[in-house]
């Protein structure tokens, strides 16, 4: 729930915007699916669970990338 770890995925968007590459493969942790805003006490807002992940996917789709995601078994 730290600002640093939550912001890191958005740094990828800066590189995507600059490089405009054809294919991108990202790896993250399953908890990223539930990423969303935090309260002022740094606790997740339950009713907005997953909103950060959805916004991240929509940002890629807005640049016409086709997004596929899956959780891989350990």
């Amino acid at each position: 729930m730290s600002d640093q770890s939550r912001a890191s995925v958005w740094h990828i968007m800066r590189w995507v915007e600059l490089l405009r590459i054809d294919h991108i493969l990202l790896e993250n942790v399953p908890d990223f699916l539930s990423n969303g805003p935090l309260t002022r006490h740094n606790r997740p807002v339950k009713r907005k669970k997953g909103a950060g992940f959805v916004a991240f996917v929509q940002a890629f789709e807005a640049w016409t990338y086709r997004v596929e995601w899956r959780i891989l078994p350990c």
Side-chain angles (χ1 to χ4, degrees), residues 33-51:
L33 293 173
S34 61
N35 181 281
L38 300 177
T39 67
R40 65 176 196 221
H41 300 293
N42 285 336
R43 305 306 313 160
V45 177
K46 290 182 182 181
R47 71 181 190 283
K48 294 190 177 185
K49 182 178 181 179

Side-chain angles (χ1 to χ4, degrees), residues 7-20:
S8 61
V9 296
W10 291 104
H11 291 294
I12 295 166
M13 301 310 285
R14 289 186 10 218
W15 287 103
V16 170
E17 185 176 19
L18 292 171
L19 299 175
R20 300 300 288 174

Side-chain angles (χ1 to χ4, degrees), residues 17-29:
E17 185 176 19
L18 292 171
L19 299 175
R20 300 300 288 174
I21 55 181
D22 293 332
H23 298 88
I24 302 167
L25 174 66
L26 302 174
E27 181 180 356
N28 210 312
V29 295

